[in-house]
Amino acid sequence: MVRSGFGPSLVILILIQAKKGKKVEAYLAIDAGGTNTRVGLVKADKVIDSLCFATLPACGPQDWLKRLGLTVQNLLDKLKDQGITIKAVGLGMPGVPARDGVSFSTCTNLPSFAGQNWARALSEMFDLPTAVENDANLHALGEFTHGAGKDVDSMACLTLGTGVGGGIIMQEMLLKGPLGLAGEIGHMVVEPNGRRCACGCRGCLEAYASSVGLTGMLREGISQGRHTALKPGDSVELITQAARLGDSLARDLLKMAGIALGRAVSILVSALGLDLFVLGGGLSLAWPQMEQETKRELARRMRLVEISGIGLIQAELGEQAPLLGAGAMAAGLLNK
Amino acid sequence: MVRSGFGPSLVILILIQAKKGKKVEAYLAIDAGGTNTRVGLVKADKVIDSLCFATLPACGPQDWLKRLGLTVQNLLDKLKDQGITIKAVGLGMPGVPARDGVSFSTCTNLPSFAGQNWARALSEMFDLPTAVENDANLHALGEFTHGAGKDVDSMACLTLGTGVGGGIIMQEMLLKGPLGLAGEIGHMVVEPNGRRCACGCRGCLEAYASSVGLTGMLREGISQGRHTALKPGDSVELITQAARLGDSLARDLLKMAGIALGRAVSILVSALGLDLFVLGGGLSLAWPQMEQETKRELARRMRLVEISGIGLIQAELGEQAPLLGAGAMAAGLLNK
């Protein structure tokens, strides 16, 4: 019987009855990335345990679902003495959530995963209520519920990774927006006639404050004959290290990233009145090298707002953030 | 007895019992501007009637409250045969709402009105529940509940007036933000090295797409020797008329305003995934002269979004929008 659009239903009952000891209620959190998928069991503010498997986008969603089922089984086997009952499922993917709330209209790194009814597929597979969301939004939700934003009611989380993603929480609500793009600030213009971005526009935030942007600027600097100890293709980590050691090109690159970030933050302060910005992703590790320029640009752009009241801080949860966010979303499903 | 911080309590009982005919339940809506204050009675999607009085900021809040009381009494006298019962009060002011939800931290054109507990003052004066909000937010709320946005769940309303204000509604919630500034997009940077804005920064949206911005650009164009039928100090209406008649400077000025607006809209689409922008304020009457450039700039900035799905439309309610918004907010008080 075809119910989910993924072929024969793959119902796996993972409700394990506690044999001894007290029962632990947990949420199944799934973070599907272009390369790896991480599966975790989340209880309140903790990832009890997690496992990874290769996403293999080319094999398609049905194959992925099978491997997901096996991985969940392995994870539960690992934890079988703890008597865990799963209450609901949360799935994050690097895609634009569709208006239907159950699928993604586009999935940049997982094209064949777009348009599938994931909420139904996982509900049927695990016989549990399931919610789906963009992974950057879940990252933000994780930091909001259990990390750097746990004491506020509004914040933006900016993930400065390969590209720039993000999520915005206002008045305790995760913003989505009719186009499903809320918080995806990577393609916000910060320098109208600036560097060409992968999206085809000029001067997007992502063209400066991401690893793609930073390594692109490194190649340009070297090809312009700038003196540096770095080589084309060197990573964000190496650029950051070189900046720390005084390399002038590396310092200039992180300065440009910092200015772009400061401008983006000033725009979000203006448009949304936010006062807390949580920085995640690989480039956020270079924050000590960017902080001064980011704050200087923010002060330059904001004359009507007291800058000292605006917090820019590093994310606290690292890779666990999307799992904790998926867990919080799954818990929210039951409290509706 | 001093209760409200405004001196002796000014309780005016305005609950008029219906003598004959059916009772009409209405909300008292107050829109305090730097020059005039408009007072209206709002029932669902209609302003039953309204009256104006001079705000006179220099006379202070106590004096304003007295004149407000008299005006409300006059308005009710006008309508005494209709048997109106007022259920709640909504007050809008051109200020930044404070975190306490009852006052404004700053009121640009009404400095002595900042820091006062307006919710308490009006609650005591009218013996009714009272809510306060920024006037541009109420403008947005009015268009959202009864105007150009009545069929959507999310929109931004941009008021292109003397300056640029605005309000954002996402998933049926008016955004405020911890700093109380949400939607105040006038000082969002759209041209980092552009025109100087009144706030002291360069290249804010308001420096281009407001009457202050447009008339400033007119003066600059004339002083640079541009050929035009216009004179320094000519109004937005005259600039718009000249553009319609083919004046090249006037056309260029509205083109610049249009580009700035398009860039601001692209930023809001990127950051919030919004797909409806309602344009109000005096400059929105020049929309037919700006539309092409605004949409061209939007298309230039947005490569990952289908532009045809983004609506830019003129506001529908004009000056009634803030009153209808204040009425909707007051009604919302009772539904909490």
Side-chain angles (χ1 to χ4, degrees):
Chain A
M1 181 182 65
V2 180
R3 287 163 69 199
S4 65
F6 290 95
S9 174
L10 292 164
V11 173
I12 300 175
L13 286 178
I14 53 168
L15 295 164
I16 295 184
Q17 295 308 318
K19 293 245 165 61
K20 54 185 175 184
K22 66 172 194 278
K23 204 163 67 178
V24 176
E25 295 193 342
Y27 300 95
L28 178 62
I30 305 160
D31 180 24
T35 309
N36 289 308
T37 298
R38 184 171 287 276
V39 179
L41 288 173
V42 173
K43 177 179 176 283
D45 62 346
K46 228 179 77 189
V47 178
I48 299 171
D49 206 343
S50 68
L51 283 176
C52 243
F53 66 96
T55 303
L56 308 177
C59 300
Q62 280 201 47
D63 175 77
W64 180 82
L65 272 177
K66 278 183 200 145
R67 281 175 294 120
L68 172 68
L70 290 173
T71 308
V72 171
Q73 205 61 67
N74 289 343
L75 185 60
L76 289 166
D77 286 348
K78 265 182 84 178
L79 300 169
K80 66 177 172 229
D81 292 334
Q82 296 187 30
I84 288 168
T85 305
I86 300 178
K87 306 290 285 180
V89 183
L91 167 67
M93 278 196 185
V96 178
R99 272 181 187 261
D100 59 17
V102 298
S103 67
F104 297 90
S105 52
T106 55
C107 271
T108 314
N109 302 317
L110 304 166
S112 67
F113 284 49
Q116 308 280 359
N117 186 333
W118 288 107
R120 190 169 59 182
L122 297 193
S123 279
E124 289 180 8
M125 182 162 163
F126 298 118
D127 203 17
L128 286 169
T130 300
V132 305
E133 189 49 83
N134 167 269
D135 57 354
N137 281 348
L138 292 183
H139 197 115
L141 198 58
E143 290 287 344
F144 176 72
T145 48
H146 305 301
K150 67 176 180 290
D151 297 324
V152 302
D153 71 356
S154 304
M155 58 167 256
C157 181
L158 315 187
T159 45
L160 313 174
T162 308
V164 174
I168 301 172
I169 289 136
M170 291 281 281
Q171 294 145 239
E172 303 197 319
M173 186 179 75
L174 178 70
L175 297 190
K176 293 159 179 272
L179 300 176
L181 291 169
E184 290 302 306
I185 60 161
H187 301 289
M188 191 162 88
V189 59
V190 293
E191 187 66 56
N193 298 306
R195 294 191 73 231
R196 184 73 70 180
C197 178
C199 75
C201 300
R202 282 194 179 277
C204 299
L205 174 60
E206 184 166 304
Y208 298 91
S210 68
S211 52
V212 163
L214 205 66
T215 54
M217 291 194 290
L218 172 63
R219 276 192 300 274
E220 288 161 19
I222 292 172
S223 75
Q224 286 158 15
R226 286 284 305 263
H227 180 74
T228 177
L230 292 164
K231 294 182 296 295
D234 276 353
S235 67
V236 165
E237 289 71 24
L238 289 171
I239 297 170
T240 306
Q241 197 177 28
R244 222 179 285 130
L245 296 171
D247 187 281
S248 77
L249 177 58
R251 287 192 164 188
D252 285 353
L253 300 182
L254 286 172
K255 185 172 159 175
M256 283 194 279
I259 291 171
L261 181 60
R263 208 169 282 167
V265 167
S266 82
I267 288 170
L268 294 174
V269 172
S270 292
L272 295 171
L274 284 166
D275 64 355
L276 182 64
F277 296 84
V278 175
L279 308 173
L283 185 55
S284 71
L285 302 177
W287 177 236
Q289 279 71 48
M290 295 162 63
E291 182 172 1
Q292 194 184 358
E293 281 306 326
T294 300
K295 290 188 170 168
R296 191 177 287 169
E297 178 65 15
L298 186 59
R300 200 181 285 137
R301 296 291 157 199
M302 307 254 80
R303 300 289 170 96
L304 304 178
V305 174
E306 190 53 66
I307 305 297
S308 62
I310 298 173
L312 284 144
I313 56 177
Q314 284 177 289
E316 290 179 2
L317 305 175
E319 286 187 340
Q320 299 220 318
L323 291 182
L324 289 167
M329 172 175 71
L333 258 186
L334 304 183
N335 298 329
K336 259 184 186 164
Chain B
M1 182 182 66
V2 180
R3 287 162 67 200
S4 66
F6 289 96
S9 173
L10 293 164
V11 172
I12 301 173
L13 287 177
I14 53 168
L15 295 164
I16 296 184
Q17 295 308 319
K19 293 245 165 61
K20 54 185 177 186
K22 67 169 192 282
K23 204 163 66 176
V24 176
E25 293 193 344
Y27 299 94
L28 179 61
I30 305 161
D31 180 24
T35 308
N36 288 308
T37 297
R38 182 170 290 276
V39 179
L41 287 173
V42 173
K43 178 181 175 282
D45 64 345
K46 228 179 78 187
V47 178
I48 300 172
D49 206 342
S50 68
L51 282 176
C52 243
F53 67 95
T55 304
L56 308 177
C59 299
Q62 281 201 45
D63 175 77
W64 180 82
L65 272 178
K66 279 184 199 145
R67 281 175 295 119
L68 171 68
L70 290 173
T71 307
V72 171
Q73 205 60 67
N74 289 342
L75 185 60
L76 289 166
D77 286 347
K78 265 182 84 179
L79 299 169
K80 67 178 172 225
D81 294 335
Q82 296 186 31
I84 288 168
T85 304
I86 299 178
K87 305 291 285 180
V89 182
L91 167 67
M93 279 196 184
V96 178
R99 271 180 187 262
D100 59 17
V102 298
S103 67
F104 298 89
S105 52
T106 55
C107 271
T108 314
N109 302 317
L110 304 166
S112 67
F113 284 49
Q116 308 281 359
N117 186 334
W118 289 106
R120 189 168 62 181
L122 297 193
S123 279
E124 290 180 9
M125 184 162 162
F126 298 119
D127 204 18
L128 287 169
T130 300
V132 305
E133 188 49 82
N134 167 268
D135 57 353
N137 281 348
L138 291 183
H139 197 115
L141 199 57
E143 289 288 344
F144 176 73
T145 49
H146 305 302
K150 67 175 180 290
D151 298 323
V152 302
D153 71 357
S154 303
M155 58 167 255
C157 181
L158 315 186
T159 45
L160 313 174
T162 309
V164 173
I168 301 172
I169 289 135
M170 291 280 281
Q171 295 145 239
E172 302 197 319
M173 186 180 74
L174 178 70
L175 298 189
K176 294 160 179 270
L179 299 175
L181 291 169
E184 291 301 306
I185 58 160
H187 301 290
M188 191 162 88
V189 59
V190 294
E191 188 66 56
N193 298 305
R195 294 192 72 233
R196 185 73 73 179
C197 177
C199 76
C201 300
R202 283 194 178 276
C204 299
L205 174 60
E206 184 165 305
Y208 299 92
S210 67
S211 52
V212 163
L214 204 68
T215 53
M217 291 194 291
L218 173 62
R219 275 192 301 275
E220 287 161 17
I222 291 172
S223 75
Q224 286 158 13
R226 287 283 307 263
H227 179 74
T228 177
L230 292 163
K231 293 181 295 297
D234 276 352
S235 66
V236 165
E237 289 70 24
L238 289 171
I239 297 170
T240 307
Q241 197 177 29
R244 221 179 287 130
L245 296 171
D247 187 282
S248 77
L249 176 59
R251 287 192 165 190
D252 285 353
L253 299 182
L254 286 172
K255 186 172 159 173
M256 283 194 278
I259 290 172
L261 181 60
R263 207 167 285 166
V265 167
S266 81
I267 288 171
L268 293 173
V269 172
S270 291
L272 295 172
L274 284 166
D275 64 354
L276 182 64
F277 296 85
V278 175
L279 308 173
L283 184 55
S284 72
L285 302 177
W287 177 236
Q289 279 71 47
M290 295 161 64
E291 182 171 1
Q292 194 183 358
E293 280 306 325
T294 300
K295 291 189 169 168
R296 188 176 291 170
E297 178 65 14
L298 187 59
R300 198 180 288 136
R301 295 290 158 198
M302 306 255 80
R303 300 288 170 95
L304 303 179
V305 174
E306 189 52 67
I307 305 297
S308 62
I310 298 173
L312 285 144
I313 56 177
Q314 285 176 289
E316 289 179 1
L317 305 175
E319 286 187 341
Q320 299 220 319
L323 290 183
L324 289 167
M329 173 176 70
L333 260 186
L334 304 183
N335 299 328
K336 262 184 187 165

